[in-house]
Amino acid sequence: MKAAIESALEHVHGVWRNRRVAVVAAWVAAAFFWLAILAWPNTYQANARVYVDTSTALRPLLQGLTVDEDIEARMNIVREQMLGPDKLDRVAQAAGFFDSTGDAKARAAILSKLRDAILIDTTLPTSARRDRAPTADRIFFISYGNSDRERALKVVDSVRLEVHSDGHPHR
């Protein structure tokens, strides 16, 4: 026990002798990390919730087909409908992603990047979770992040409006 106390006191005495070096090193590290934090770009996250009755939304797509009542498959179909090429193109135009000089290849790259950046997640409404009954109704969470706050809001709002413009989902 005595040896441990003597060793600890020796370390404290060594730190005290080199206190100026320790203070300078702490200030340099603090300045470096503050500069790194200030250089970090801002990211804004926009979110929306949309209630969708998937049985109504899918009726035109599935006319005349016998389809299994797999709710997850329905969710994937609706998700793909929400991010379809024509709708995604309108969302990108509304959010100002395209300039007048853009060619088809650049446009396709922007649409692909946008499709990957928009997150759509689903959950059952509270009433369905409480009843534990299978349902085709879901709440879709739409999320998108961008360094431009207005663009993030426009993308999520445009996706939400595209879903409602079909007339299938309910508010």
Side-chain angles (χ1 to χ4, degrees):
M1 181 70 169
K2 186 176 180 181
I5 293 174
E6 286 178 11
S7 175
L9 288 175
E10 217 175 286
H11 285 297
V12 169
H13 184 65
V15 168
W16 185 253
R17 278 190 308 223
N18 297 314
R19 67 185 178 272
R20 288 183 184 98
V21 173
V23 168
V24 169
W27 275 102
V28 168
F32 172 77
F33 285 115
W34 275 110
L35 289 174
I37 289 170
L38 290 174
W40 200 289
N42 291 335
T43 302
Y44 298 95
Q45 189 78 25
N47 301 305
R49 286 185 288 181
V50 179
Y51 173 78
V52 178
D53 178 2
T54 57
S55 61
T56 305
L58 294 176
R59 192 169 293 136
L61 288 174
L62 302 176
Q63 279 180 344
L65 298 175
T66 349
V67 177
D68 207 7
E69 286 297 318
D70 183 14
I71 293 176
E72 285 305 313
R74 285 182 173 202
M75 294 300 102
N76 290 333
I77 291 171
V78 170
R79 189 179 293 123
E80 291 303 314
Q81 284 279 120
M82 291 168 81
L83 293 176
D86 55 336
K87 291 184 182 185
L88 201 58
D89 190 64
R90 288 192 297 259
V91 167
Q93 285 177 348
F97 278 97
F98 300 134
D99 58 357
S100 59
T101 61
D103 62 341
K105 192 179 246 186
R107 193 176 184 101
I110 290 171
L111 290 177
S112 174
K113 200 180 225 185
L114 183 61
R115 180 181 173 85
D116 292 341
I118 297 173
L119 301 174
I120 298 178
D121 193 19
T122 61
T123 187
L124 284 169
T126 308
S127 60
R129 275 184 274 157
R130 186 178 38 233
D131 299 339
R132 300 271 187 232
T135 181
D137 301 342
R138 295 292 171 120
I139 296 175
F140 284 82
F141 291 97
I142 304 166
S143 179
Y144 176 74
N146 195 302
S147 59
D148 181 8
R149 179 184 178 275
E150 290 302 317
R151 185 170 277 180
L153 290 171
K154 281 182 184 176
V155 166
V156 170
D157 198 40
S158 297
V159 171
R160 183 185 59 80
L161 290 174
E162 283 295 325
V163 171
H164 284 290
S165 70
D166 289 343
H168 303 304
H170 306 284
R171 286 193 186 259

